[in-house]
Amino acid sequence: MFRIILALFILIPIIEIFLFMRIGALIGVAPTLGMIVLTAIIGVSMLKIQGLSTLQRAQNNLQENKLPATELVEGVILLICGALLLTPGFFTDTIGFLMLVPHIRRSIAKVIIKKGKFHITSGSGFSGFSTHQHPNSDNSDIIDGEFHREGDENTSNEQKKID
């Protein structure tokens, strides 16, 4: 994993410098800088709209007592997307804009969810999730969830299967 991250830290700036030089030579320095600023502004506005839409879907799922797993993963993808859009460059902007497309983002989120099963935990004011292999199932659509109500004498555990 370290080698992949190191390779990305080396390759992405090289790709960005190459693209800056090529595009700058074609259209000039001022238009190139203007495009970088414009893509950041447009990207942040689109990111805000997509983020609010994802948050609304997560809230709707919670109101229907459904686990918003896809929306949680999409939120992380949008966070990465925002970092890519704010990083000056054409390559990172292209990847960021692709992840803003809802269909592409949901597909990525579903692949991430299928590759690992998420164990959602909540208790003492902390909520988090980590990967967890369900011992008795090969069904990738199962997400184990466990919760405890604080202050309730009958603390209960539940598992929900989400399709």
Side-chain angles (χ1 to χ4, degrees):
M1 184 61 144
F2 174 75
R3 289 182 184 192
I4 293 172
I5 293 172
L6 180 63
L8 289 174
F9 272 107
I10 293 170
L11 289 175
I12 290 175
I14 290 171
I15 292 169
E16 293 294 10
I17 290 169
F18 174 77
L19 289 173
F20 282 141
M21 291 171 53
R22 296 290 271 179
I23 293 170
L26 285 173
I27 64 174
V29 174
T32 302
L33 294 174
M35 283 178 64
I36 292 168
V37 171
L38 186 62
T39 57
I41 292 169
I42 293 170
V44 168
S45 341
M46 290 175 65
L47 180 65
K48 180 180 176 184
I49 293 167
Q50 292 299 314
L52 290 173
S53 171
T54 301
L55 178 62
Q56 183 64 43
R57 282 194 333 273
Q59 288 175 337
N60 290 342
N61 282 344
L62 286 172
Q63 288 174 350
E64 296 172 5
N65 291 326
K66 295 179 184 175
L67 183 67
T70 304
E71 289 77 13
L72 289 172
V73 176
E74 280 189 61
V76 173
I77 293 171
L78 286 171
L79 182 67
I80 294 167
C81 178
L84 290 172
L85 289 169
L86 290 175
T87 302
F90 295 106
F91 180 71
T92 53
D93 284 349
T94 302
I95 294 170
F97 278 117
L98 284 174
M99 289 194 303
L100 279 177
V101 177
H103 179 70
I104 293 172
R105 188 177 61 249
R106 282 189 200 110
S107 297
I108 293 169
K110 287 178 182 178
V111 167
I112 291 170
I113 290 171
K114 281 192 182 254
K115 285 200 178 252
K117 295 171 183 65
F118 294 94
H119 184 73
I120 311 295
T121 60
S122 170
S124 65
F126 173 77
S127 295
F129 56 116
S130 60
T131 59
H132 172 70
Q133 282 290 73
H134 193 278
N136 300 326
S137 174
D138 60 351
N139 187 348
S140 63
D141 294 335
I142 294 178
I143 299 174
D144 287 338
E146 185 176 317
F147 68 91
H148 304 277
R149 292 185 186 191
E150 291 186 28
D152 191 6
E153 294 194 17
N154 296 327
T155 303
S156 65
N157 292 334
E158 274 191 28
Q159 287 189 345
K160 290 189 174 186
K161 292 187 180 182
I162 299 179
D163 294 324

